[in-house]
Amino acid sequence: MSNTPNDDPVVNAPRIVHTRAYQQELLEESLHRNLIIALDTGSGKTHIAVLRMKHEAEGHSSKVSWFIAPTVALVEQQYEVIKTAIPVSVGVVSGASEPNQWKDASLWRRILASHRIMVTTPQVLLDALHHAYVDLGNDVGLLVFDEAHHAIGKHPYNMIMKNFYFDLPPRTNIPGSAGRVRPAVLGLTASPIYGGNVDAAFRDLEKNLDSTIRSSRRNREELAEHVFRPEFKHVVYTSPIHTWDGLPSANYQALRSVVDALKIENDPYVIALRDRLAKLQPGDDRRRLDQQLSKAIDKQDTFTHKGLRDFVRAAEDICIELGPWAADWYVAKVIERAKVAANPYNNIMSAWKEKEKRYLLSITSRVQVTAPSSDPDKIVNGITSKVRALVDSLVVEEGLFRSRDEDYSGLIFVTRRDTVLALAELLQRIPETAQLFRVGCLLGSSSSFKRHSFLDITRTMLEDSPADTLRDFKIGDKNLIVSTSVAEEGIDIQACGSVIRFDPPPNVVAWAQSRGRARRKRSSFIIMFEETEPQKVKVWEETERKMMAAYNDPRRDAIIPIQEDDNFDDMDGYVEFEVASTGALLTIHSAIPHLNHFCAVIPSGGHESHVPIYELDPPDYVEGWHSRPTSSPGSYGGPWGATVTLPRALPKHLRKFTTPRIHCSKRKAQQHVAYQAYIELFRAGLLDNHLLPLSSAIEPDKKEEVEAMLAEVAKRASTARVSIQMDPWAVSEDATTWFAHEIVIQGFPALRMLTRRPLPSFAQEDFPKLYIPKLGEAAVTLSSAQPAPVGDDEVRRAMEYTYRLFFMLYGSRMDRERLDFAYLFLPAAQWPDKQTWEERRRWQEERHSRGLTAASEGPFMANAAAFGERFSYPKDLAMVRGVNKFDKPLQLLGWRHDLLSAEEEETFRAQYEKYPDMQITYPLMVVRSLPKRRNFLIPFTIESTDLRKDVPSEDSPFLLHPQYALVELASHEEVQYTLMLPSVLRWLANALTVDALRTSLFVKTPVSSVPLPLLLTAITAPISQELTHYQRLETLGDTVLKFITSNQLYGEFPLWHEGYLSRKKDHAVANSNLAKEAVQKGLYKWIIRDRFVPRKWKPHYTSLVQTSPAEPVTEAQPEAGNQVNGAGGNAEGGKDGKDRKKKAEELSTKMLADVVESLIGAAYEHGGFDLAIECVKRFGLGLSWKKLPERLEQMHKVEDLDDLPEQLGLVEQMLNYQFKRRTFLVQALTHASYQGDSAVMSLERLEFLGDSALDMVVTDYLYHAPGKNYTPGYMHIKKEAAVNSHILAYTCLSTSVTVNSVMPTWTPDTGLSTVDDSQRIHLWQCLLHSSHRVLEDQNLTFARFQKHGPAIAKALAEDSIYPWAALTSLQAPKFISDMVESILGAVYVDSMGSLDAVQQVMRSLGLMQIIERVVMEDVDVLHPVSRLAIWAARQDPQKKVSYKVEKEKGKVKCTVLMDEDELLEVTTSYRSRVSEDEVRFTAAERAIKQLQVMDVDPDETIPMEEEGAEEESEGAMTDDN
């Protein structure tokens, strides 16, 4: 269908489309009533629908038009047509659109708000209606049903109408769409009929869609001009008479003889069931297995046996329909493909299990296949009369088209998929057709990954995809398609010249639909019949005549709509449940798929996905029927009951539900018990108000739109634009008073400091130390006494003094004559030599006022010659400089009275080459550069701690001519303060930022008590290049946050399974969530991210406090001077104090999240988990926060078990821990497959808690490791050494206890005696499970452990490199490592939250010893894949490392490529997916040795190409320190 009258889709630029009269007629009628438009294919039905939706979109209603098509292919095709024809936003969703992404109410609301038209499959809309994401009355103004004849029975079309449409109030005015009323309905079909009764079909379809079926009445002549009915022809053939045993196909006979000899007892599925049954104790699991085995033997419908019987039947049909050659070819081809697919090392048919592959291989290898002849004569002689008739018809049709100078295009409809393949092959082999036709095949497609049938293998026999075949047909590269019914309905196939039904259509709908494919002028429609069948055509033609008469009959308009006495099949016992708050609806028909979905999203721990297990009452077979299958299983006719059992991840009271034996069918019983179970899950809070698993409630939409329509996905920006960092010196507009404080730097006289507001009190340990060359460390203190206001006179003197003090070094960056500094300074009490320097300054001021000074001099800067002459060349001058504007300040070492040598004079004159007439007078000045250090907050390095260190040559003394030099009239103390004050002010600005954080965000909370150094570290970003920054604290805080979040969730939601807990935790701690809370709280204001650059420093001027500091802004408009950040340090402003950069600063969401985590880390460091929780409370994160003891009390609200397993005491011995409540240990040892009567849930919840406890213990240990001070990158990789699944599995496998026992024995020599019969019991053997797969995995893993374990133990105890590859060689399934984490979780809960107890159990398991050795002996734990990637990225030029993993003949090979060149390869046996990891890790280790890769820094960034280099590499990050 399309938006053009000819139904040719328009997918490029829109073209002008002229609406025909009959289209306008039906459009106008559709505006006044609900219509089902019945027009032939090719007449332009879609164009009418497009015009109707365009009319709806142009109205003022906010409701959408919803176009529904029955298949994904039709949805995509019609979407292209609609979005091209109508200039509004059109959305598309189908089953191929990752349907899980559409289970979000807020996402649907955004879609409905931003689109005027939706194009979907009906199931998508039905699901959205069921979950109340869409309200049909409020949200939809027009429903368009493409291929509307499907609206019968349980089809989603009909369910939409029955469950949601008819409950709405009728529309009183069709053009209007206000209020919650029924939407308008428009149906499109070429054949509004099913079955043969026109009246019944019309009545049902019109009733179901609340519409009237109509075609054009006033413009039939025009309609006839545009609908090209093909010429109908029929071909009659005679069928050959064969007995089933006498089919003339050698390959068929060979296949049948092998298949007939098969015994169901040899089927691997039956063998496996019997093996499992023999090992099971009586109970639910055994009873279910017994039923499965009886059914498999009774029905003989195992995957392999049923598939092989289907194969035989397909070969029979092909032999009868097409002839013996086609059957021979088909059998040979399928067996050839089966042998490839059944190869154990081939994944072509991944749904096949290994034992099934071997079984099929053994069967197919016994078939004596004869290669089909390629001789054309033999092929032609081996075809049936039906194929002969088809070939003759095709040749005639092609000749007719050629005679009219037209290109031929044809479509052959075949019923069976396998016949399509064989017929297409035949047509390409028969000379008559091979030279005329270019043949393609269409089989339809399936995106399901479930096991269907053995014959699904034939899908791999097609060379071209359906899309490629259709494309080739359109452009003429193919001119004949052999197709199943997939091409009958709607799919956009170019109008064909002839359509041939190789098999007669099954009903009038198929007749009309396939005929509609032949819509070229002078086209033909050919049906092939056996001699007795042609009369069917007359019946169809009569049915079609009645159909057209009915929908053209004007009297039908007056028919009163039939009331719903609803004879809807299977409505007996119909029930439904509606959620009042949302309108979400659960029906008896939707309960089973809903329950399947709920179970499927429960994490499975790496084993089979969870499914609900249904058992019928009574069962189909008496117990043990499979042992005596000759007896009949009986034919019970009902009623039935049913029981459904849900996964053990749920608590006991939500695990099993039963409905009594009252239902009329098995299906009804299963539907009712599923309905009952699903309602109870909702009432228990495990479903949201949309009747879905809690994914939407757990992951609500936050600040960014993280999902959008698939065709219009908007990537969330990684930055949040917010206002700039706070100015700690800013004051309110009415602040006029100055307050005095006193700064004391050890070894220097005190300095009074004046500020516009009192400074907070600081603890003595808060103050910094300055590291001053020649003087060493100097303590800084700031008076904490109550600051007193000061008078105006002192303020004026302080302004002048501050200006003079800073102008010495920073004058070039200061605003001349501007005195409104944010802070002022004056000497405190009597400074040394105060009188001397005051005299010198008065002398210079007098000279300056009398105009006796040179241009380069100033009030406080005198000519050195004049100054020396006046004051007898004093040596106490602290700073001098040359007369040129940009001459650097210098340090005076003394005056030289000795004459210069000739060589010295030459050098000296060269220095003053600008002054050729200079006369050398004495004394000269001996000077040296000032020390380079300007940031005195940075400690000395080891090399610089020697204060007597030789001066570098570039800082050696040199001479100045006093006449060409200036003296700064400042004392040594003043110059030193000038140098030191920027560092002091930087610390103070940062300290004031911390104080602002304490008194704003953390006011009246215990977090405000966290020491200043910790908080300062927590809010300092690495980009500031401060001595300490937040990265280490962030690493600690990240782990603390995850740990306390896990505790909160575990305690608050006792019914939640691990999947819910993990998802909720991940959302709560996600960077996006943390960053959003940080922005809302205005945290960005207090993040120190500006750099302190002393050589660009200038004093900070007064600025005003920004309003609403906690409000995020889009554009920061700072006040004058406000762009200067915390230290008043790096001036960005111009001389007028206005900001040069008007754009807002950008903060990454990661930085905001990191600071939240670092604050949590700082709170934990100071006050443990209680204070950390107080810190998190301030941000909320969408959780209810309580202290851990309260949560632990909640965790203990479980009933104790009476019947405890015997092995618990052994486990306690292994752990060296005695449980107070053994119930927790039982849960920690219970696998999801366990079918015992225990009430406990399976281990996944405790594993969730234990995982966070393990991380917490290890991270805390690494953070505080003595003398290490690990960076985050190092902490991550060293933590991985103790928490990765391989090492956890190793410790589980290696943990054991010896059970001492003796066995009496008797010999003639010694008589009765005893011998030692002690046994070693391993931890992994204590897992409670009921799965043969788990047992098999345990045994295989332990066998590998016995082989590799000693070498791993030796490497862990002695090697300097961590044995990654060796650990991976264990290939342990996930449940073994999960067992260790669940045990740690059980210990944590049982000990009331004692991490010391957890750590002690880790020591008993050997985990603590591993991490301690990693730390103490500096074991290299960097993952080999990461190490090689980092090394390659560091090379010059940079290299690229990649890995090529290949499987072949039971082996797996990994080739290491360096810049695409092969470096080496490693091969090992393939056992499972983990083998690929093992061989890759081993290859990386060998490459490291071969390349002699030296030390690499794990904090370096790993190249993007290596992102797959295992989770161990994820910790690599850039350290900005």
Side-chain angles (χ1 to χ4, degrees), residues 1222-1326:
R1222 284 183 158 188
T1223 299
F1224 297 122
L1225 181 55
V1226 175
Q1227 183 179 347
L1229 298 175
T1230 301
H1231 188 268
S1233 67
Y1234 184 56
Q1235 297 298 326
D1237 293 330
S1238 169
V1240 299
M1241 300 168 74
S1242 51
L1243 59 79
E1244 289 82 12
R1245 271 176 58 90
L1246 280 175
E1247 178 257 322
F1248 165 81
L1249 193 61
D1251 173 72
S1252 65
L1254 172 64
D1255 267 12
M1256 190 66 243
V1257 170
V1258 174
T1259 302
D1260 187 82
Y1261 173 78
L1262 291 169
Y1263 187 89
H1264 297 101
K1268 297 299 182 181
N1269 202 39
Y1270 287 128
T1271 63
Y1274 275 99
M1275 270 196 281
H1276 178 81
I1277 65 166
K1278 289 185 184 295
K1279 182 184 80 170
E1280 282 301 313
V1283 304
N1284 70 81
S1285 61
H1286 308 301
I1287 195 67
L1288 295 179
Y1290 168 79
T1291 58
C1292 184
L1293 293 164
S1294 59
T1295 300
S1296 62
V1297 67
T1298 299
V1299 178
N1300 295 317
S1301 63
V1302 292
M1303 177 67 69
T1305 184
W1306 182 88
T1307 65
D1309 297 331
T1310 61
L1312 186 64
S1313 61
T1314 58
V1315 296
D1316 183 25
D1317 190 39
S1318 299
Q1319 296 183 33
R1320 181 158 288 278
I1321 306 298
H1322 289 81
L1323 181 57
W1324 62 267
Q1325 293 174 299
C1326 300

Side-chain angles (χ1 to χ4, degrees), residues 729-877:
W729 303 108
V731 293
S732 59
E733 200 167 355
D734 57 355
T736 57
T737 306
W738 287 85
F739 296 88
H741 311 76
E742 190 168 278
I743 293 177
V744 177
I745 299 177
Q746 184 180 350
F748 294 90
L751 188 68
R752 281 171 68 80
M753 180 178 184
L754 277 57
T755 56
R756 299 295 288 271
R757 59 184 179 195
L759 297 179
S761 297
F762 297 106
Q764 190 59 43
E765 57 269 20
D766 293 344
F767 293 115
K769 286 185 178 179
L770 301 185
Y771 300 87
I772 307 169
K774 301 293 184 183
L775 299 176
E777 296 181 12
V780 178
T781 56
L782 185 65
S783 64
S784 56
Q786 184 66 34
V790 296
D792 292 344
D793 180 63
E794 185 176 0
V795 170
R796 181 187 54 76
R797 287 188 293 109
M799 285 181 174
E800 293 172 354
Y801 184 81
T802 303
Y803 183 87
R804 178 172 67 81
L805 195 67
F806 287 141
F807 196 81
M808 281 189 277
L809 280 176
Y810 317 112
S812 63
R813 294 186 291 278
M814 289 169 60
D815 299 343
R816 286 191 176 273
E817 308 306 326
R818 185 176 176 186
L819 301 178
D820 58 330
F821 300 109
Y823 31 69
L824 304 174
F825 299 95
L826 272 176
Q830 191 70 22
W831 276 29
D833 305 321
K834 180 180 179 183
Q835 301 299 331
T836 302
W837 284 102
E838 285 183 352
E839 179 188 352
R840 293 170 180 176
R841 283 192 282 270
R842 282 196 298 272
W843 167 79
Q844 178 63 9
E845 286 173 1
E846 184 179 345
R847 291 181 68 233
H848 190 65
S849 63
R850 293 166 58 189
L852 302 177
T853 54
S856 57
E857 295 182 72
F860 311 112
M861 197 179 299
N863 178 271
F867 177 86
E869 185 177 344
R870 168 65 180 82
F871 294 104
S872 304
Y873 305 103
K875 295 182 180 179
D876 61 349
L877 302 184

Side-chain angles (χ1 to χ4, degrees), residues 140-259:
V140 182
L142 171 66
L143 270 176
V144 181
F145 293 90
D146 198 12
E147 309 295 348
H149 52 272
H150 287 292
I152 57 173
K154 296 182 189 175
H155 192 278
Y157 278 6
N158 204 17
M159 293 293 94
I160 290 168
M161 298 295 291
K162 284 187 177 295
N163 289 342
F164 299 97
Y165 175 89
F166 287 108
D167 289 341
L168 295 169
R171 294 161 68 97
T172 55
N173 179 14
I174 288 292
S177 55
R180 190 172 187 271
V181 295
R182 295 177 182 178
V185 175
L186 178 64
L188 310 174
T189 182
S191 48
I193 190 171
Y194 59 90
N197 188 325
V198 172
D199 291 338
F202 272 41
R203 182 183 70 244
D204 288 349
L205 193 58
E206 289 184 325
K207 179 185 71 174
N208 292 347
L209 291 182
D210 191 29
S211 304
T212 303
I213 301 173
R214 273 292 313 275
S215 184
S216 174
R217 294 173 183 168
R218 301 193 302 269
N219 299 280
R220 295 180 191 175
E221 296 79 6
E222 185 195 40
L223 175 60
E225 292 174 9
H226 294 283
V227 175
F228 306 118
R229 280 287 174 90
E231 178 187 357
F232 174 69
K233 305 176 183 179
H234 66 268
V235 174
V236 178
Y237 62 90
T238 57
S239 294
I241 300 174
H242 295 297
T243 61
W244 291 110
D245 293 335
L247 291 178
S249 165
N251 285 349
Y252 163 74
Q253 295 295 349
L255 172 66
R256 179 158 188 175
S257 64
V258 170
V259 173

Side-chain angles (χ1 to χ4, degrees), residues 447-462:
S447 59
S448 173
F449 293 102
K450 296 181 180 177
R451 290 153 55 91
H452 290 295
S453 160
F454 165 75
L455 288 183
D456 276 354
I457 194 172
T458 56
R459 292 186 186 280
T460 67
M461 293 165 62
L462 284 179

Side-chain angles (χ1 to χ4, degrees), residues 1004-1015:
K1004 296 181 181 179
T1005 72
V1007 185
S1008 61
S1009 66
V1010 176
L1012 185 143
L1014 264 178
L1015 284 178

